[in-house]
Amino acid sequence: MKFAVIVFPGSNCDMDLLWAVKDILGEEAEYVRHDADSLVGFDGVLIPGGFSYGDYLRCGAIARFSKVIQEVIRFADEGKPVFGTCNGFQILTEVGLLPGALLRNDSLHFVCRTVRLNVANNQTKFTSEYQKNEIIQLPVAHGEGKYYCDEVTLKQLKANQQIVFTYADENPNGSLENIAGIINEKGNVLGMMPHPERAVESLLGSNDGLIFFKSIIKNYGKVRANG
Amino acid sequence: MYDVKVYVTYKDSVLDPQGEAVKGAVHRLGVREIEEIRIGKYFEIKVRKTNRPIEIVIEEICDKLLANVNMETYRYEIREEV
């Protein structure tokens, strides 16, 4: 499987993502710049954390107007997997590929620690290798990670099983309903505040993130075999 | 030419933790009359006159970029330079 790791001015978790899928999992992966006009040849898109365009205006607001985003939208419309972590999640909501928005943490503090997450939905292409309601540990590092949406959207998220990860005990940012990660209705675009790519070696404190990427790769194989 | 001022704030339904923190500081300052403080963003924009109505131009950039209408609301003032 060949992954594109999108790089915006200010991305700083791009190397972690490339390391996770290429060096640890042995898949193909390449950096793709914000001004690239094609994602032809790639099988999955990874949008990293960081501070795209300096977080000016709002986190992710300016990245939305990068040239490559038109291609990311096309890629997503074709049903191919798109994953955004942290600033990548913020960008996906700004683009409109995922509903809702990310607000300043209730505490006003930048939180940087490992949190416990509940796999609320393991029936997705990104989480199929986890057990339902499995508790996993992943790091978070963000100042604006409080998930917010209106009541109608929340009802839809629940009805369609789009809430994929929730904070298991401590909610680090005040997120609505402890939401840590959501997926689109079609099931091919997932955004989350925690960083699975920073938990792919036991040396890093947890390798619970490995299963996330393994799920994507395994399900891609299935798609190919069936197609 | 127009001079436009745009104010973007969180919707009333959205908690503004920055505003709450500043309100706390104001109270510690001893000014007890303050009931509420909400922090927003302020833009000063100069707009060239074209055939498009100025309101359309401003609302387009507000809806698409300056505000995230999921969580924010905006208002604006337009002054025509003579």
Side-chain angles (χ1 to χ4, degrees):
Chain A
M1 189 167 182
K2 188 173 178 184
F3 290 98
V5 176
I6 310 290
V7 182
F8 299 99
S11 295
N12 68 0
C13 301
D14 41 355
M15 292 173 82
D16 296 355
L17 273 172
L18 198 88
W19 172 265
V21 294
K22 194 171 178 181
D23 295 81
I24 302 294
L25 285 156
E27 300 294 313
E28 284 184 80
E30 276 176 27
Y31 296 123
V32 174
R33 279 173 54 101
H34 60 95
D35 54 0
D37 55 11
S38 173
L39 286 167
V40 171
F42 290 101
D43 309 306
V45 165
L46 307 174
I47 306 181
F51 303 85
S52 58
Y53 298 88
D55 276 356
Y56 293 164
L57 194 59
R58 291 180 310 278
C59 304
I62 297 178
R64 176 187 158 195
F65 293 94
S66 293
K67 199 171 175 188
V68 75
I69 289 294
Q70 286 313 311
E71 267 295 280
V72 174
I73 293 168
R74 184 190 63 75
F75 198 87
D77 286 347
E78 287 177 0
K80 294 177 181 169
V82 175
F83 167 60
T85 174
C86 203
N87 189 230
F89 184 18
Q90 293 161 342
I91 292 169
L92 288 173
T93 61
E94 285 285 342
V95 170
L97 285 173
L98 290 172
L102 281 309
L103 304 175
R104 182 68 68 97
N105 297 347
D106 270 356
S107 64
L108 289 177
H109 292 292
F110 187 96
V111 291
C112 184
R113 57 172 170 266
T114 298
V115 296
R116 281 155 48 85
L117 295 172
N118 177 42
V119 182
N121 182 357
N122 73 335
Q123 304 292 307
T124 80
K125 288 176 182 175
F126 300 84
T127 55
S128 60
E129 301 306 297
Y130 291 112
Q131 301 297 313
K132 167 94 175 151
N133 292 325
E134 185 175 343
I135 302 292
I136 61 170
Q137 297 199 44
L138 295 180
V140 292
H142 58 251
E144 298 196 7
K146 175 184 177 169
Y147 183 77
Y148 170 82
C149 66
D150 60 36
E151 280 179 29
V152 176
T153 307
L154 182 63
K155 269 188 192 160
Q156 286 170 347
L157 288 178
K158 285 181 176 175
N160 302 326
Q161 313 286 326
Q162 286 174 256
I163 300 169
V164 179
F165 294 105
T166 54
Y167 298 109
D169 26 44
E170 174 221 21
N171 180 338
N173 48 41
S175 252
L176 187 68
E177 305 252 337
N178 297 320
I179 290 172
I182 58 168
I183 197 163
N184 65 340
E185 226 178 311
K186 217 158 89 178
N188 68 311
V189 179
L190 186 139
M192 65 197 289
M193 288 315 295
H195 290 270
E197 78 281 10
R198 291 189 191 173
V200 292
E201 290 174 282
S202 46
L203 185 65
L204 299 172
S206 163
N207 52 17
D208 288 348
L210 258 190
I211 299 162
F212 180 84
F213 296 104
K214 280 182 177 169
S215 300
I216 302 174
I217 294 158
K218 186 172 176 186
N219 287 305
Y220 175 71
K222 263 188 212 163
V223 171
R224 267 201 308 196
N226 295 341
Chain B
M1 197 71 98
Y2 297 101
D3 269 330
V4 182
K5 294 176 170 54
V6 174
Y7 306 86
V8 176
T9 51
Y10 281 140
K11 287 179 181 171
D12 284 342
S13 57
V14 175
L15 173 77
D16 175 5
Q18 284 188 92
E20 289 296 311
V22 173
K23 187 176 80 177
V26 165
H27 286 171
R28 287 192 293 280
L29 190 69
V31 183
R32 311 299 306 181
E33 297 91 333
I34 303 300
E35 285 283 336
E36 187 180 6
I37 294 182
R38 292 177 73 80
I39 294 179
K41 298 188 184 95
Y42 166 64
F43 304 83
E44 291 180 351
I45 307 170
K46 292 208 184 294
V47 188
R48 233 183 15 253
K49 277 186 188 174
T50 62
N51 291 334
R52 283 213 297 164
I54 177 74
E55 290 83 2
I56 301 285
V57 174
I58 292 302
E59 285 175 26
E60 181 179 349
I61 64 166
C62 286
D63 287 334
K64 289 184 179 169
L65 180 62
L66 301 188
N68 178 333
V69 293
N70 283 309
M71 58 180 178
E72 293 169 328
T73 181
Y74 62 84
R75 64 189 167 83
Y76 54 83
E77 294 161 8
I78 297 169
R79 193 174 61 86
E80 191 171 352
E81 280 181 0
V82 284

